[in-house]
Amino acid sequence: SVEQAERQADYWVFGGIYRPVYLEGVPREFIEWTAVDARADGTFSIDVHLNGLQNGTYARAVISESNGKVICEPFEATLDPGQEKVTLNTKINDPRLWTAETPNLYLVHVVLLNKKRMDIHTIAGKFGFRTFEVRSGDGLYLNGRKTRLKGVNRHSFWPDSGRCLSRKINYDDVKLIKQMNMNAVRMSHYPPDVHFLEACDELGLYVLDELAGWQQPPYDTDIGKKLVKELVTRDVSHPCILFWDNGNEGGWNTELDEEFALYDPQKRTVLHPWETFGGIDTDHYESYESTIQKLSGQTLFMPTEFLHGLYDGGHGAGLKDYWDAMYASPMCAGGFLWAFADEGVVRTDRIGRVDVAGNQAPDGIVGPYHEKEASFYAIKEIFSPVQIALKKLTEDFNGILEIENRYDFTNLSDCVFELQLVNLPGPLGKLTEARNNYIRNFAGPDVEPHNSGHLYLSLPENWRLSQVMYLTARDPDGDEIWTWSWDIQGWKYYEKDIETKASENTKTTAFLKNNKILIEMSDMVMNFDADSGELIDITVNEKPISFSGGPKLIGGTAKKPKVTCKQIENKIVLTAESTSDISYARWTIYPTKWIELEYELELEGRFYKFGINFDYPESKMRAMKWLGRGPYRVWKNRLQGGRLDVFSNNYKNHIPGATWDYPEFKGYYQDWRWVVFKTEEGDITIVNGTDDSFLGVYRPNNGESPMRTRVNVPETGISFLHGIPAIGTKGQRAESLGPQGQMNQASGKYKGKFFIHFGK
């Protein structure tokens, strides 16, 4: 039974003892275990389970704060020889309540006394005052307030030690989960270390504690009853635990459902993860459309697994669509992403290679050593309890922001906000290198939980002279909730780094030779195809630069254009015009060696991605430095999580789930203003002159990923895009994950402009 329920499961199973095993010396008469039931109204009871009672006459308890200050008179009960259980009761006036936002803990000491009131045995334990309810067809209520669970599934795992974890690793896991603005965790698919539950109590994280059992068959009834007792008697007094899970995905023995309550005075709800039970539908991996249907029903919906995050898919990809729908529905009780970390074990028999069992274990938001992937920050923004909807600063922006409080218990007046006005460097370093122009901290507005209001920034008069505005929200403990960033100046600001005028003696010439249009200026020569208008090659100081082969249309159909070349004063204008989906591409070559390209696409149809492309060999690429919203790449259905700043990234052919050197290099980047590619042949500098365009850097490498996480796009080099692809999860295609997962619907004209410079 144990072999089938545990050792054939979808998680790593190792031999040996991986949790503490010890002998504890106790008196012949002793307190075996206790179970606390502490309610939000201050009502307190504790079931004291006794063993070997002969001379023990009294059981007494006293409650204190964490600093040792006693807050009540001792309360006790008289015992009889052989008695095995006694319940002690009291009531505390106005206790500080436990929630994930306010993890207030108290300490209870329980003493077994003899007739002379001498101590026989003493134990102590932490607990929290809180009342949790599942209100059928309504929601989850903690201390009388409706609460949604923003959670993740978590195995006990570390690459160097398997399922054997230290106290520090357990506490670090809780901190990392909370950094993503999550408030809940599911103990998939077995009970955790005690340290982990202690961390959830102390730091504030709601828990679904789970009896092992993965799909069919489950534990048999005799074994299952023993294991339920061990689970509940060990964990029952932890305030963080809201539910008991009886196995997973069919791995439940229904004859065990009533066993949990035998040892739990709180009578917590028992769940069957993957089915409707206990008044909650916990079905796994629903599509976006079927999620909408469930949210419109009369049963609470709380998927205990959704958005299976294999490789770079899932998690943040699709979460915005799902969470917007879930948060808006009164029938949503929350949800749990799969899963927390890529579970790779260090194989000492394979020269230390990290083994993730093919595509079975790299399902995490973080890597094996908790390297933060892009979805970490996307989730952090989407789950942020402080929401600001403003995406772009308008001309009439007056420093007043609409703000939403998605906390359950915290008023925004208890948060602190930090405003920064910043300057960032230009691509050639000619713009100011100074960063902080202005910084100010101030308290948040008086906005109650589940309400909206306004945040007044009180901007200085000259704030528009800065380039970027950052706004950071910090929780009452001083930890970052999220940092928003807005571009103040727009792309035109970076044209200051572009030199288009040269001395009158500097000339640029163009002539036709062998069906090529050759354009020369000082030490640079450009060759264009006279039939297509595409760039063939470039040489600078007689050295070739392999940026070529464009602009080629991505998406749509291109026809042979009409190509013209004119000299206007000391610059050359080369234009390729067509009646096809690329209406025109117009090159302007300045004598300063700056090159401007303007183009217009006119497209109708659905495309995974569309825009224009140039070739540049990956073998010659070394790094990129860029200003945009990063540092991570984005997908059409995962645009959240970025920060507007300057980033540097070395070239790598990164395969998520096989290597964990983040951020990736190849992919799609948003809100970019400029980029400097460091290559074997010298620098290639590109300044963007187009709003709402994406920079494409080769095609992302998905390795041997299943089709649902493989992006169906052609190989590209350096591309300038108006539509980028979405990405799917292990079991679901991107199209099933919501509106942002659909193919791009192009309709109408799309214009673009950028400037290129080769060399220093």
Side-chain angles (χ1 to χ4, degrees), residues 1-2 4-5 211-212 216-230 246 251-260 262-263:
S1 170
V2 173
Q4 292 171 332
L211 181 72
Q216 290 288 337
Y219 295 119
D220 65 37
T221 301
D222 288 341
I223 289 293
K225 285 182 176 180
K226 295 177 182 179
L227 293 173
V228 169
K229 180 180 179 180
E230 293 296 330
N246 181 5
W252 47 75
N253 180 342
T254 58
E255 294 182 10
L256 304 179
D257 288 332
E258 303 302 322
E259 293 291 309
F260 293 85
L262 297 179
Y263 315 101

Side-chain angles (χ1 to χ4, degrees), residues 537-554:
D537 57 49
I538 302 173
T539 58
V540 178
N541 294 323
E542 299 183 348
K543 295 181 179 179
I545 296 178
S546 305
F547 187 87
S548 63
K552 277 191 170 67
L553 181 65
I554 304 173

Side-chain angles (χ1 to χ4, degrees), residues 554-574:
I554 304 173
T557 303
K559 297 179 180 178
K560 183 177 179 180
K562 177 184 178 182
V563 179
T564 60
C565 185
K566 299 179 181 179
Q567 181 152 358
I568 302 175
E569 298 177 343
N570 59 355
K571 62 180 180 284
I572 303 294
V573 178
L574 186 151

